[in-house]
Amino acid sequence: DKSDPRTNPESFAERLKAAPIKTLQTNTLDFAGYGKFSEDVPADYFATIAEGAVTISPGEYVLEVTTDDGCRVFVDGKEVITDAWKYQGPTIYTAPLKLGGTHKIRVEHFQIDGYATLRVKLRPRL
């Protein structure tokens, strides 16, 4: 309760400064299911922080995030997925983006309990 990201953002931010339980280097964020994202991570009450960069051709894109529970996404420091920071079942959020060149992406996610999902995709806008 004291570090609930929905009601106590300062305490949650402090927790994110602690050493991670696990680190993983990957080119995709695609986790889903009951139980754990990984054997080294608890099934409930955990956070995921993912940071990286993408180099992409100029154009219009859609950032698509499926999350259970809360998630927010930043591109070049600007929050682009803004309304997903809540307790919820698997829900898809999208943000249209104009990109070109290299961009920094940061994903923050929290899992309370039950089913867990974090999927992030970047695709050309049709």
Side-chain angles (χ1 to χ4, degrees), residues 2-5 8-20 47 49 72 85 106 108:
K2 292 180 182 176
S3 63
D4 187 326
N8 196 340
E10 296 83 13
S11 178
F12 183 71
E14 282 300 311
R15 288 213 175 238
L16 295 182
K17 294 178 184 176
I49 302 297
R72 52 188 171 207
W85 198 248
R106 177 180 170 93
E108 299 177 355

Side-chain angles (χ1 to χ4, degrees), residues 25-96:
Q25 188 169 354
T26 181
N27 290 330
T28 61
L29 287 179
D30 190 358
F31 301 98
Y34 282 99
K36 305 174 180 185
F37 278 9
S38 168
E39 282 302 313
D40 304 331
V41 177
D44 297 323
Y45 304 105
F46 66 88
T48 306
I49 302 297
E51 295 180 308
V54 60
T55 301
I56 197 161
S57 299
E60 294 186 14
Y61 295 88
V62 175
L63 179 74
E64 181 179 291
V65 175
T66 305
T67 185
D68 175 343
D69 293 303
C71 183
R72 52 188 171 207
V73 180
F74 302 83
V75 175
D76 298 328
K78 179 183 176 193
E79 191 170 357
V80 296
I81 300 292
T82 60
D83 56 349
W85 198 248
K86 56 191 168 192
Y87 183 67
Q88 61 191 325
T91 307
I92 297 172
Y93 295 87
T94 60

